[in-house]
Amino acid sequence: MKLSLIGAGPGDPDLITLKAIKTLAVADVILYDALANPCLLSYASKEAELIYVGKRLGQHSVSQDEINRIILQNTLSGKHVARLKGGDPVIFGRGFEEMDYVRAYGIETEIIPGISSSVAVPSLKGIPVTKRGMAESFWVITGHTKDRELPKDMELAAKSSATIVILMGISKIDEIMTIFSANGKEATPVAIIQNGTTPEEKTITGEVFNIAEKVKANNIKSPAIIVIGETVRLCPDYINSYLATNHLVENEKQAKHG
């Protein structure tokens, strides 16, 4: 009996580790989340039981207590359970809670890390979270606490010169940008990437003062990550948007002066 907590990566099925694939192949039961690419289930044994326990904001199909119960019931019956979670299984997930729960019953557990969207998605869009001379550090912050409030660290992040990566923050975009504006960051560049690394990927860029309006205009929804900081200026999408905006402004000036 064993629980393997597996990170599925940011969405692209090729961005999963070899160890994760090997573990999926031998698991008796696989519990998978909404953010885990279903293509990864092709690595499972034909005899494996596949159980969807996905959660989305406002649409919790399976409670955490029920997930814990399913894991415990199967592991106590001698089965190897694989818990497949999007990104890395312990970054703003409840992986450790699940592990602690079954460990109390003497169940063997292991963690198989996954590539986190917090670093991979910006990187693949041409946004390094650190760059010498631009950003010496980066923060990864959740967009809401378990009580659906902004975390207190958001105020500290807004005062920092670090690259700020916010997960699960789209529903709080207005509040977040108000905090950054209040800390003198109105002109700081922002990129928002929805469904990063997948065929459905969608990117918008702007600045703190106008990004919330662009989110609404472009119908950006979760799952999406928010990247705030100077390294966003390196993103080709930001560069193209900046050039297009300047070109439009110049054309308007020329039209006014005939």
Side-chain angles (χ1 to χ4, degrees):
M1 54 185 182
K2 182 178 182 180
L3 168 64
S4 296
L5 195 62
I6 302 173
D12 183 340
D14 287 343
L15 296 176
I16 190 170
T17 66
L18 183 57
K19 185 171 184 177
I21 291 172
K22 290 178 178 179
T23 303
L24 290 172
V26 298
D28 300 304
V29 180
I30 299 173
L31 280 70
Y32 63 102
D33 277 355
L35 294 180
N37 194 314
C39 294
L40 298 174
L41 299 176
S42 64
Y43 294 115
S45 161
K46 292 181 180 179
E47 291 75 35
E49 181 181 3
L50 309 178
I51 304 174
Y52 175 73
V53 291
K55 299 180 186 179
R56 288 290 176 90
L57 183 62
Q59 300 177 2
H60 287 198
S61 58
V62 183
S63 71
Q64 189 60 50
D65 286 343
E66 179 64 8
I67 291 172
N68 291 346
R69 187 197 65 78
I70 294 170
I71 294 173
L72 183 63
Q73 181 183 48
N74 281 281
T75 51
L76 285 179
S77 65
K79 296 178 181 178
H80 181 180
V81 176
R83 180 73 168 95
L84 186 63
K85 299 174 72 69
D88 182 271
V90 298
I91 296 181
F92 301 132
R94 301 183 71 172
F96 260 109
E97 293 178 39
E98 295 167 4
M99 291 184 69
D100 285 343
Y101 183 81
V102 300
R103 278 174 176 168
Y105 292 85
I107 306 297
E108 179 187 355
T109 63
E110 69 171 342
I111 294 178
I112 300 175
I115 296 174
S116 172
S117 62
S118 61
V119 175
V121 170
S123 177
L124 291 171
K125 294 303 296 184
I127 307 171
V129 292
T130 63
K131 187 177 188 297
R132 188 164 51 183
M134 292 186 77
E136 297 175 350
S137 62
F138 67 98
W139 293 43
V140 181
I141 308 176
T142 180
H144 59 79
T145 66
K146 65 180 181 180
D147 299 319
R148 301 297 172 191
E149 300 294 331
L150 283 177
K152 293 179 180 178
D153 280 351
M154 197 67 73
E155 287 278 359
L156 297 174
K159 300 178 189 301
S160 171
S161 61
T163 303
I164 310 300
V165 181
I166 304 169
L167 307 183
M168 302 176 291
I170 289 299
S171 65
K172 301 280 188 180
I173 189 69
D174 289 297
E175 295 173 62
I176 292 170
M177 295 307 145
T178 295
I179 291 172
F180 277 80
S181 290
N183 283 275
K185 300 290 181 67
E186 297 95 333
T188 301
V190 183
I192 298 181
I193 307 112
Q194 176 182 309
N195 293 314
T197 78
T198 74
E200 294 76 35
E201 182 177 281
K202 186 176 182 179
T203 304
I204 63 169
T205 62
E207 288 76 32
V208 165
F209 77 91
N210 64 11
I211 197 68
E213 181 181 338
K214 290 187 175 185
V215 164
K216 296 176 180 68
N218 289 275
N219 196 32
I220 298 296
K221 305 290 185 183
S222 294
I225 71 167
I226 304 166
V227 188
I228 307 170
E230 292 303 312
T231 59
V232 173
R233 296 188 191 279
L234 303 174
C235 176
D237 291 89
Y238 181 83
I239 294 169
N240 292 336
S241 176
Y242 180 81
L243 292 175
T245 300
N246 279 359
H247 182 67
L248 182 61
V249 170
E250 286 300 319
N251 285 348
E252 290 177 349
K253 286 181 179 178
Q254 291 176 13
K256 285 181 180 179
H257 293 89

